[in-house]
Amino acid sequence: MKRIAAIALLLLPLAAAAQISNDDVHKYDHRNNSQVRNVISIPGFDGYQTLKCDFHIHTAFSDGSVWPDIRVQEAWQEGLDAIAMTDHIEYRPHKNIVVADHNESYNIAKKAADRLGFILIKGTEITRSKPLGHLNAIFITDANKLDVEDPLKAIDIAREQGGYIIWNHPGWPDDKSTFYPIHDELVKAGKIDAYEAYNYMESYPLTFDWHADYGIAPMANTDIHGTVAGDYAYGDRWLRPMTLVFAREKSLEGIREALDARRTLAFFQGTLVGSEEYLFKLVKASLKVRRLSSGNMEVTNISDIAYEMVHDGRLYVFPAGKTALVPDFSGELVVRNCYTGHNKCLHFTFEK
Ligand SMILES: [Zn+2]
Ligand SMILES: [Zn+2]
């Protein structure tokens, strides 16, 4: 994308000159920001690449305000690698105006995704009150078949289609992240694969243990209804929520394999949630160390995620994309923006 941006910049003075020398209608195509994509740098490890994904997206085909192709455009521009279209089955306030079946938002978005070479996953949101709550079924083949009375039947139909089930916003709308018996039943039957530790602007700290306790994958998704740019400001700590997926390859199949193997971390507001193993490996891959004869070390953070570590009661910050000069630590540091569980932060040691 750097090349396209450079060409656009070169065109700028030429176009300005052309405008003066003729009377034709002038088109400012070169100012079109839709051709420029953000680069989010988060390294991989163990041969996996880190894919930035959002598995929870709404459009005008349920209760969102945006047409499906714009969802793809937003995600591509913001530097994501994949999104799942998950319009509600049961809640469609515009259904008398937007008359379509449950697959149509995906079908429209797919055309935009194919143009950009962007990965799009077919899904839907099964929408019930608590205790069951809302569940996304992604990697399904036909959302229409999930339009049935019994939500447990809808889950079974999704699974027959090869679907992957996410328990959405466990702390919404009652501000309690209760793990009900129905969830225990579904997890034990292998019918819940993942859960949202972060949804939209919320985090659910009680759920930070669930990846370890229940073997389900932690996620951070937007559940976006309006525009992403309207809801999330940009900067180090305000990227949209995203699920980091450690995949063998950047493809639909690669993402599915990684999700089945639970190789994810939830990322929002500069904070990561997930297993000790993946957090440790990600931090290690991000921080490049050069030891100095002075007894200090230079630590270069090659990722777009800043890390905050505490050692001997002192805070050390490793800003994104910068080099920090720090003491040559012996022993463990506590990474206070990486959660391995509820109130549990990652312990990190720099390799000698
Ligand atoms: Zn929901
Ligand atoms: Zn939703």
Side-chain angles (χ1 to χ4, degrees):
M1 287 326 301
K2 278 198 183 100
R3 182 178 292 263
I4 289 178
I7 290 167
L9 287 173
L10 281 173
L11 284 173
L12 200 63
L14 293 175
Q19 188 186 13
I20 297 162
S21 63
N22 69 52
D23 296 335
D24 296 338
V25 170
H26 187 73
K27 299 185 193 306
Y28 292 89
D29 291 349
H30 57 279
R31 304 299 299 274
N32 193 337
N33 195 38
S34 68
Q35 293 167 5
V36 181
R37 173 168 154 84
N38 190 24
V39 176
I40 303 170
S41 299
I42 304 176
F45 51 78
D46 292 355
Y48 301 127
Q49 49 184 308
T50 303
L51 302 182
K52 287 77 67 180
C53 306
D54 186 350
F55 298 111
H56 195 161
I57 301 267
H58 293 282
T59 76
F61 285 74
S62 62
D63 56 343
S65 320
V66 167
W67 207 248
D69 58 337
I70 301 299
R71 288 298 184 221
V72 173
Q73 186 68 41
E74 285 176 323
W76 181 85
Q77 279 180 264
E78 285 153 13
L80 263 59
D81 297 297
I83 59 171
M85 305 301 290
T86 57
D87 276 312
H88 297 281
I89 291 271
E90 301 84 351
Y91 186 57
R92 304 176 74 200
H94 318 305
K95 69 179 172 202
N96 294 330
I97 308 163
V98 182
V99 182
D101 75 12
H102 297 295
N103 295 316
E104 196 55 33
S105 59
Y106 168 85
N107 292 340
I108 293 168
K110 185 72 168 73
K111 288 192 191 109
D114 287 347
R115 189 175 68 79
L116 296 164
F118 188 81
I119 301 169
L120 191 73
I121 302 161
K122 185 184 269 194
T124 192
E125 184 165 8
I126 302 164
T127 313
R128 296 295 195 278
S129 306
K130 283 193 167 185
L132 181 64
H134 299 188
L135 299 153
N136 276 354
I138 61 172
F139 291 98
I140 54 170
T141 54
D142 184 358
N144 292 322
K145 297 227 164 69
L146 275 64
D147 192 356
V148 293
E149 189 110 346
D150 178 0
L152 300 182
K153 178 82 181 141
I155 293 170
D156 287 341
I157 294 167
R159 294 206 79 86
E160 281 160 22
Q161 294 183 7
Y164 186 91
I165 310 293
I166 305 162
W167 179 8
N168 299 340
H169 44 70
W172 182 88
D174 55 357
D175 290 346
K176 293 185 177 69
S177 307
T178 312
F179 196 93
Y180 289 99
I182 182 66
H183 301 115
D184 198 41
E185 216 173 278
L186 288 168
V187 166
K188 281 186 180 137
K191 294 180 184 178
I192 291 179
D193 299 292
Y195 70 97
E196 290 180 332
Y198 294 91
N199 170 284
Y200 188 49
M201 297 277 179
E202 295 185 337
S203 75
Y204 310 112
L206 281 177
T207 73
F208 290 4
D209 284 323
W210 290 1
H211 62 89
D213 290 351
Y214 304 109
I216 52 182
M219 291 186 163
N221 298 318
T222 58
D223 196 1
I224 192 74
H225 288 74
T227 62
V228 175
D231 285 3
Y232 299 102
Y234 279 87
D236 246 14
R237 303 178 63 85
W238 273 97
L239 288 168
R240 61 192 277 172
M242 58 186 78
T243 303
L244 306 186
V245 176
F246 307 110
R248 288 202 183 105
E249 56 171 48
K250 184 173 162 176
S251 67
L252 203 63
E253 298 73 27
I255 291 170
R256 180 56 193 263
E257 189 277 330
L259 289 184
D260 282 336
R262 311 310 195 227
R263 289 196 307 271
T264 69
L265 291 172
F267 176 51
F268 184 47
Q269 283 261 51
T271 301
L272 290 147
V273 176
S275 80
E276 191 176 348
E277 180 189 352
Y278 300 136
L279 283 170
F280 191 95
K281 286 178 173 173
L282 180 62
V283 175
K284 188 173 168 217
S286 303
L287 301 179
K288 304 292 175 198
V289 176
R290 188 168 80 97
R291 291 201 154 73
L292 309 178
S293 56
S294 61
N296 290 326
M297 55 184 192
E298 270 186 9
V299 179
T300 301
N301 183 355
I302 62 164
S303 86
D304 279 342
I305 303 173
Y307 293 103
E308 298 174 2
M309 302 195 191
V310 177
H311 185 263
D312 261 349
R314 290 193 64 175
L315 174 68
Y316 297 89
V317 179
F318 300 92
K322 294 192 190 303
T323 298
L325 184 70
V326 294
D328 191 345
F329 301 108
S330 55
E332 284 184 341
L333 297 95
V334 176
V335 192
R336 70 175 197 180
N337 61 321
C338 291
Y339 285 92
T340 58
H342 182 219
N343 291 331
K344 286 188 287 249
C345 286
L346 175 71
H347 288 233
F348 186 77
T349 317
F350 285 97
E351 235 170 55
K352 284 287 171 191

